[in-house]
Amino acid sequence: MNPLYIQIKKRITESLVGGLWHPGHSIPSEIELAQSYNVSQGTVRKAIDELAAEKILIRRQGKGTFVASHNEEHNQLRFLRLTSSLGDKEKLDNKLITFEKEKASNGLAKILGINNASTVVSIKRVLTFNEKPLILDLIKVPAASFRGLTPEKVIEKKGSMYRMYETDFGIQMLHAKEKIRAVTASAEAAELLGVSLDSPILSVERTSFTYDNKAIEWRLGLCLTENHHYATELE
């Protein structure tokens, strides 16, 4: 049997999955949760410590504990790790290239845990930093999880898809797995990013997950790195 604090962590996570507490909102105090779960405050604190370390919850001194949100200024680009090598603050925007619905391939269906016959929304866009093309993004999400997703919504969010997932569909992306490799620009990538054919670019393939560790988005980003680098932190 799992330690008691792990069981409480699971119960808190289940409440988040069920929508009891929403992104950006506070959760009950440790004392209130301890009473609700009939455990010690220390057990609740240890469970919350782990969820805070995983950036699912955020502690704010003197204010309480809040559900992490992609709406917060410091968290909007949580998964976008391409950074100016000069340290410049850049304006992010996006240009939508295509927005289509299609049947999931066998490989994609396996990644997203959906039926082979399921429909996915396929989005192709160019992310611009200070109005210069920097990333060619190919995004695929299950249509059933994003009913009402339109090209207009993609354009409206100015590049922040995770913010849109959260605010418009109640889906909070929590963590991601990535595969990074160097590739050369195809004819399409070269044209959309404004570089020569076969120029070196960075390929970032990402699968993003929500609270219950459910894969909900597959994405391939083709990135220019002449004046940018991919920044990450290892713990």
Side-chain angles (χ1 to χ4, degrees):
M1 178 177 287
N2 288 327
L4 188 55
Y5 80 92
I6 294 294
Q7 297 176 44
I8 298 305
K9 176 185 175 183
K10 182 179 179 182
R11 292 183 66 178
I12 293 173
T13 302
E14 288 171 349
S15 293
L16 293 169
V17 173
L20 182 60
W21 307 309
H22 299 288
H25 294 186
S26 64
I27 69 171
S29 68
E30 290 178 0
I31 293 176
E32 291 172 317
L33 288 173
Q35 292 173 344
S36 175
Y37 297 138
N38 195 28
V39 296
S40 71
Q41 187 178 346
T43 297
V44 170
R45 182 177 297 119
K46 196 168 183 180
I48 290 177
D49 283 344
E50 286 217 351
L51 290 167
E54 294 170 9
K55 298 184 179 180
I56 294 173
L57 298 177
I58 297 173
R59 293 187 183 277
R60 292 181 181 152
Q61 189 67 33
K63 294 183 178 180
T65 302
F66 293 75
V67 182
S69 170
H70 287 280
N71 268 324
E72 298 175 29
E73 185 67 27
H74 70 281
N75 215 28
Q76 285 182 13
L77 305 179
R78 176 176 168 187
F79 294 160
L80 181 56
R81 302 299 180 89
L82 211 61
T83 304
S84 168
S85 297
L86 301 176
D88 298 335
K89 187 173 182 179
E90 298 173 303
K91 179 185 176 183
L92 174 66
D93 207 338
N94 77 127
K95 177 183 178 182
L96 183 62
I97 306 301
T98 58
F99 182 100
E100 302 171 331
K101 291 187 177 180
E102 61 190 32
K103 295 298 181 183
S105 66
N106 291 340
L108 182 63
K110 184 176 180 180
I111 290 171
L112 296 178
I114 57 178
N115 190 285
N116 289 359
S118 297
T119 301
V120 296
V121 178
S122 180
I123 299 164
K124 186 181 296 181
R125 62 180 187 160
V126 173
L127 281 177
T128 61
F129 285 42
N130 286 349
E131 301 182 352
K132 295 180 180 179
L134 195 67
I135 303 173
L136 173 58
D137 247 349
L138 176 61
I139 300 167
K140 295 181 186 287
V141 295
S145 299
F146 293 91
R147 299 186 188 279
L149 178 58
T150 62
E152 290 74 22
K153 285 184 181 292
V154 176
I155 295 169
E156 176 190 345
K157 294 304 177 182
K158 303 291 184 182
S160 182
M161 294 291 289
Y162 296 135
R163 183 179 184 183
M164 183 258 287
Y165 295 160
E166 180 182 304
T167 56
D168 292 10
F169 300 95
I171 295 175
Q172 165 77 325
M173 298 298 191
L174 289 179
H175 67 97
K177 293 180 180 179
E178 292 185 332
K179 297 177 183 177
I180 302 175
R181 60 194 180 103
V183 299
T184 56
S186 64
E188 180 186 43
E191 179 182 355
L192 292 173
L193 294 174
V195 297
S196 301
L197 181 66
D198 293 332
S199 294
I201 56 177
L202 189 69
S203 167
V204 182
E205 182 182 347
R206 177 193 306 155
T207 304
S208 297
F209 301 82
T210 189
Y211 287 121
D212 45 357
N213 208 37
K214 176 178 172 56
I216 201 74
E217 179 206 59
W218 177 88
R219 178 185 301 220
L220 177 65
L222 300 176
C223 315
L224 301 184
T225 57
E226 182 178 1
N227 298 307
H228 293 76
H229 61 270
Y230 190 90
T232 189
E233 295 181 8
L234 302 178
E235 297 180 357

